[in-house]
Amino acid sequence: MNSADSPAVADQPASTRNRLVLIVYTAAIFVSALLLFSVQPLFTKMVLPRLGGSPAVWSVAMVFFQSLLLAGYGYAHYLIRIRSRIVMTGAHLVLLVIALLSLPLSIASGWGEPPNSGYAFWLLGLFAVSIGLPFFALAANNPLLQAWFFRTGHPSGPDPYFLYASSNIGSFLALLSYPVLLEPMFTLRTQNLIWTGGFGLLIVLIALCAALLLGSPTLAVDAPAEDKISAPPAWLLRGRWIFLAAVPSGLLIAVTAHISTDVAAAPLLWVLPLSLYLLTWVLVFQSRPVLPHKWMLMLQPVAIAGVVVLLAFGGEQNLLLTLGGHQLCFFIIAMACHGELARTRPSANYLTGFYVALSFGGMVGGLFAGLLAPFAFSWVAEYPILLALAALCRPASPERLRGWSAWYWPFLAVVASALMAPSYVDGKVMTWLEAHRLWIIGAVGVLSAVMALGLNAERRKIFATVVLALVLIRVYPADEGRVETVRSFFGVHKILVTPRGQYHVLMHGTTIHGAQKFQNDDGTLVTGKPEPITYYHQSGGIGQAITALRERKGGPLRVAVIGLGAGTLTCASEPGETWKFFEIDQTMVDTARDPKYFSYIQSCAPNLKPVIGDARLTFAREPDGLYDLIIVDAYSSDAIPIHLATEQAMAIYKAKLAARGAVLMHVSNRHLELASVVVGIAGANDLNSWVFNEDSDRDNEYIFATQVVVSARNEDDVGTLATSGQWAMTEADENQRVWTDDYSNVLGAVLRRLRPREE
């Protein structure tokens, strides 16, 4: 053999080994991320049927996972300090095996029912004792495996952050595949078993990673490369890492809350911002970023100004533009923040500390937006607060025209005084400002972008300008009429008083959940017993069903109503009847009782004492065979509590019915076709169903179209509804899978709604 060929031949085993190291470590990090982000929707969905169906469960779950991610990163940070490779790798493998022994996933027994108060903290405890160990073990893998990869001596080891992109690709795919593939195809039990098998595969991959590390020469760790000879990151820099991670993490929850509260409440809407959030991590940690960081820094002030304009614009006008605008601006802001993190990342020997700072910031942002904000604010105030803080995420740089910029503070103070002072005094100036509010607020928002791009202004000046624009949005609101908000753990409710005070309207998100007419068209006050309107008017599906059941019985009804709303249905009762209401949200009860908002309860049921708690649990404790009519009207905005629309839930309703009773489910929904779901779960319980569809041209009178399904044992039980031309007896679709506590398919309901209706 020629001696000149010897180095090439000698390099071949090393090259093969390096490829093997890269493949195994990339696969392990990818699978770990896939499991990490698929366990979130999987276990949360397991919790919903038994422990409450509030959408707020998802935000609490997010806070829990972010907090445990910090714990996992902290564990990895200290584990990597162990000098013995055998002890370090062995300890983590033992942890993974112990976690495997706790699978499949299950809800901890003996945890009891959720309390009426402190619900969020109770849920955090439940998540911790149920899935804390396997999630903790998974959370540590990303920084730990990157640190191991650095110590294998691989040529890419000194800068292993590209593996973080691989991790987020796995997270991204898990997020998208769950609602599109796993949920429609498999039951929860099957999903659980698949996830458990994936966890076992991950242990094998991590064992291979450990073997490759143990087989690496010690010199790979002990001989530092030139780029690794650096001082530890300063504490000020660590604090900035935390801040840069906290702002987009909080914005993720805040923008999701805003678009589902004030733009469009639709199922699976939370997937969009979370997908964009994960995508930013993928993009910024690429070896060659597709979107250069300097571009994102240039676009960031434009995005902030864009959100200011969108918030000033408000409402549902041009829904796609508004929804897409918030998402795009969030993406740009998150890219700028995460790009700063990537730009200032330390060398590989400080990698785990860097990830601890990132996860701590993510937890802080999540805690603020997910837990503190719902109790601190009566509206989604966290969104503008975090938007303003995003201006402080820009890197420091010298200002242009420094002599002129020194006068900016007094200039801004004069502008703020001129724009806000008229709001305290009614007059022509106030009227003019209200009429031109969009242009004025937009101009202040654009000013912040001009300051950033044109003058390279100091970030505190940009921050102050954005704050002024956001304050003006509250001073000069977009809503016609007067709006008050009430917020709880379960969401934000708005009470809209229309111009001249003719109607009071209860809204959850963008969906009306009740209204009351306080003035006649001529301006005189409405007197006497309030008339049910919106979905509950007498000629609508709900009103017809109540009348038919009352006539069929020939006497007073005993009725259970799941969902209180504005209390409209209290005025559907007649003397001698017994109506019992079940409501999960105490603030909703307080709002419906307050005569300054609605007077249904005050006029028709002043002694009403609703049962507080999740109705799936509280209603199950009612005596069997008691009710002539059960009305299920508990949908939150246009989202649905799935646990109230399953075969097992219908079995509970059936058990509580009197011999000739009926179940009425209100399924009006802009985004989901739910009538066939109710027909299916009723059929699975040997009940017949009749579907009512109504179009309405009286929306200006708050008389809305409704879709209602009534289910009963026999045709005679529903009285005249069985022979009415407006009600169609409907059989379950044999090709459509019945929803159960173990299976539901929200995406399928969305697709059915998109199909054109058959004439």
Side-chain angles (χ1 to χ4, degrees):
M1 180 183 295
N2 192 311
S3 60
D5 295 332
S6 299
V9 174
D11 286 344
Q12 288 179 0
S15 177
T16 302
R17 180 184 177 281
N18 286 337
R19 283 198 296 269
L20 179 62
V21 168
L22 182 61
I23 291 171
V24 172
Y25 272 81
T26 301
I29 287 178
F30 177 83
V31 172
S32 179
L34 204 63
L35 293 171
L36 198 65
F37 267 78
S38 59
V39 72
Q40 299 181 33
L42 169 59
F43 187 74
T44 305
K45 191 173 178 182
M46 291 172 62
V47 169
L48 292 179
R50 291 176 55 185
L51 303 166
S54 165
V57 172
W58 294 92
S59 62
V60 173
M62 183 66 71
V63 171
F64 167 78
F65 291 126
Q66 287 175 325
S67 302
L68 214 58
L69 200 65
L70 171 63
Y73 281 15
Y75 156 78
H77 179 63
Y78 286 101
L79 186 65
I80 203 66
R81 295 185 177 188
I82 298 175
R83 291 185 176 274
S84 171
R85 292 182 175 184
I86 295 177
V87 174
M88 177 177 60
T89 56
H92 190 57
L93 285 170
V94 168
L95 174 64
L96 288 167
V97 171
I98 294 174
L100 179 64
L101 296 177
S102 69
L103 301 177
L105 301 171
S106 62
I107 299 173
S109 59
W111 195 247
E113 294 184 2
N116 292 334
S117 61
Y119 194 84
F121 299 101
W122 179 88
L123 270 177
L124 289 174
L126 173 68
F127 274 88
V129 299
S130 299
I131 62 167
L133 182 59
F135 191 89
F136 173 79
L138 287 173
N141 287 332
N142 184 34
L144 189 61
L145 290 176
Q146 287 187 51
W148 288 6
F149 179 78
F150 164 54
R151 285 159 171 76
T152 61
H154 192 278
S156 299
D159 188 18
Y161 291 98
F162 70 93
L163 291 173
Y164 193 47
S166 173
S167 169
N168 283 287
I169 290 173
S171 304
F172 186 75
L173 290 177
L175 179 67
L176 293 181
S177 64
Y178 187 83
V180 175
L181 295 176
L182 291 177
E183 184 181 46
M185 293 177 63
F186 303 111
T187 65
L188 280 175
R189 175 174 172 77
T190 303
Q191 294 172 36
N192 200 346
L193 293 176
I194 292 172
W195 194 89
T196 302
F199 198 94
L201 172 63
L202 177 65
I203 293 178
V204 173
L205 288 172
I206 292 180
L208 290 174
C209 291
L212 290 169
L213 174 63
L214 294 175
S216 303
T218 306
L219 289 176
V221 178
D222 295 338
E226 183 178 347
D227 67 325
K228 292 190 290 182
I229 304 175
S230 59
W235 284 105
L236 186 62
L237 178 59
R238 295 175 191 265
R240 182 156 176 78
W241 289 342
I242 294 171
F243 181 71
L244 288 169
V247 170
S249 172
L251 267 176
L252 166 64
I253 297 176
V255 73
T256 304
H258 173 75
I259 61 179
S260 60
T261 299
D262 295 312
V263 180
L268 305 179
L269 198 59
W270 58 272
V271 172
L272 298 176
L274 185 53
S275 299
L276 292 174
Y277 177 80
L278 293 173
L279 183 60
T280 62
W281 288 114
V282 174
L283 294 176
V284 300
F285 280 99
Q286 287 181 322
S287 301
R288 295 180 180 178
V290 176
L291 300 174
H293 180 51
K294 63 180 181 180
W295 293 6
M296 295 297 102
L297 287 178
M298 290 177 60
L299 289 173
Q300 188 229 30
V302 178
I304 294 175
V307 176
V308 169
V309 173
L310 288 170
L311 291 174
F313 193 63
E316 294 182 79
Q317 303 93 337
N318 204 329
L319 182 60
L320 290 178
L321 176 62
T322 306
L323 185 61
H326 281 287
Q327 307 274 358
L328 177 61
C329 292
F330 166 70
F331 173 75
I332 293 171
I333 293 169
M335 280 291 294
C337 295
H338 293 160
E340 276 296 288
L341 286 169
R343 183 182 69 84
T344 59
R345 66 184 184 268
S347 57
N349 37 352
Y350 302 113
L351 175 147
T352 54
F354 175 68
Y355 282 125
V356 169
L358 263 61
S359 60
F360 183 71
M363 183 192 71
V364 169
L367 284 173
F368 169 68
L371 283 186
L372 297 181
F375 295 101
F377 309 118
S378 63
W379 56 290
V380 189
E382 60 270 24
Y383 190 23
I385 290 172
L386 289 162
L387 182 69
L389 290 176
L392 299 177
C393 293
R394 297 180 61 78
S397 57
E399 290 185 314
R400 303 186 187 101
L401 304 176
R402 292 183 62 85
W404 181 91
S405 64
W407 291 94
Y408 185 72
W409 288 115
F411 166 75
L412 187 64
V414 170
V415 170
S417 300
L419 293 176
M420 294 181 63
S423 67
Y424 295 96
V425 181
D426 290 334
K428 292 183 178 180
V429 177
M430 172 71 171
T431 303
W432 187 89
L433 288 172
E434 288 180 333
H436 297 83
R437 58 176 298 281
L438 185 60
W439 293 100
I440 294 169
I441 295 169
V444 176
V446 170
L447 175 62
S448 68
V450 171
M451 290 292 296
L453 299 177
L455 301 178
N456 204 30
E458 196 263 330
R459 53 196 174 200
R460 289 179 299 173
K461 294 175 181 175
I462 303 170
F463 168 77
T465 309
V466 173
V467 168
L468 173 60
L470 295 170
V471 169
L472 289 174
I473 293 174
R474 294 294 292 177
V475 173
Y476 303 107
D479 302 278
E480 294 184 5
R482 188 178 75 252
V483 176
E484 295 188 40
T485 55
V486 178
R487 190 173 188 179
S488 71
F489 175 76
F490 300 98
V492 179
H493 294 89
K494 293 186 291 186
I495 301 94
L496 168 66
V497 179
T498 61
R500 298 189 299 109
Q502 185 173 17
Y503 292 94
H504 291 194
V505 185
L506 174 66
M507 303 182 71
H508 190 178
T510 54
T511 302
I512 293 175
H513 279 268
Q516 183 177 347
K517 188 175 183 178
F518 278 81
Q519 292 183 12
N520 297 307
D521 294 340
D522 61 4
T524 59
L525 293 177
V526 174
T527 58
K529 181 179 178 180
E531 178 187 357
I533 54 175
T534 62
Y535 311 100
Y536 312 102
H537 57 100
Q538 190 170 6
S539 61
I542 297 175
Q544 287 187 27
I546 294 171
T547 301
L549 267 291
R550 187 176 287 135
E551 291 175 352
R552 193 271 304 155
K553 184 177 180 181
L557 294 175
R558 183 177 289 272
V559 182
V561 182
I562 297 176
L564 178 65
T568 311
L569 283 177
T570 59
C571 289
S573 63
E574 290 192 351
E577 294 185 339
T578 302
W579 287 58
K580 190 170 185 177
F581 288 78
F582 298 80
E583 172 60 49
I584 194 171
D585 190 353
Q586 180 63 49
T587 61
M588 194 71 269
V589 176
D590 297 337
T591 301
R593 281 188 183 281
D594 194 333
K596 77 174 181 179
Y597 297 136
F598 305 100
S599 63
Y600 287 116
I601 293 179
Q602 184 185 54
S603 301
C604 302
N607 298 319
L608 180 70
K609 295 181 180 179
V611 178
I612 302 299
D614 189 279
R616 178 67 186 266
L617 302 174
T618 57
F619 188 66
R621 292 195 289 265
E622 292 294 293
D624 289 348
L626 182 63
Y627 293 103
D628 301 305
L629 177 63
I630 297 171
I631 301 175
V632 182
D633 183 34
Y635 290 171
S636 167
S637 198
D638 268 357
I640 59 169
I642 292 173
H643 70 307
L644 296 180
T646 66
E647 179 183 345
Q648 290 76 16
M650 183 61 81
I652 294 174
Y653 308 149
K654 180 182 178 181
K656 308 307 172 185
L657 287 177
R660 300 187 64 189
V663 178
L664 182 154
M665 296 191 71
H666 182 198
V667 293
S668 302
N669 197 288
R670 290 174 292 182
H671 306 289
L672 296 155
E673 189 285 309
L674 296 171
S676 63
V677 173
V678 175
V679 171
I681 64 175
N685 283 280
D686 298 321
L687 296 176
N688 300 308
S689 295
W690 291 262
V691 178
F692 175 90
N693 279 302
E694 173 198 30
D695 292 325
S696 173
D697 56 0
R698 301 171 61 191
D699 286 2
N700 61 325
E701 303 175 47
Y702 289 94
I703 303 293
F704 299 144
T706 56
Q707 186 175 39
V708 174
V709 181
V710 167
S711 303
R713 297 179 179 91
N714 301 300
E715 185 175 316
D716 293 341
D717 296 341
V718 296
T720 57
L721 297 185
T723 57
S724 170
Q726 291 181 287
W727 293 79
M729 187 172 184
T730 307
E731 295 185 359
D733 185 348
E734 295 180 355
N735 298 318
Q736 184 173 314
R737 196 167 178 177
V738 176
W739 285 20
T740 68
D741 287 351
D742 198 40
Y743 173 83
S744 61
N745 183 2
V746 174
L747 183 61
V750 173
L751 296 177
R752 290 195 301 275
R753 171 58 70 202
L754 295 176
R755 296 174 189 162
R757 290 187 180 181
E758 297 181 1
E759 298 295 338

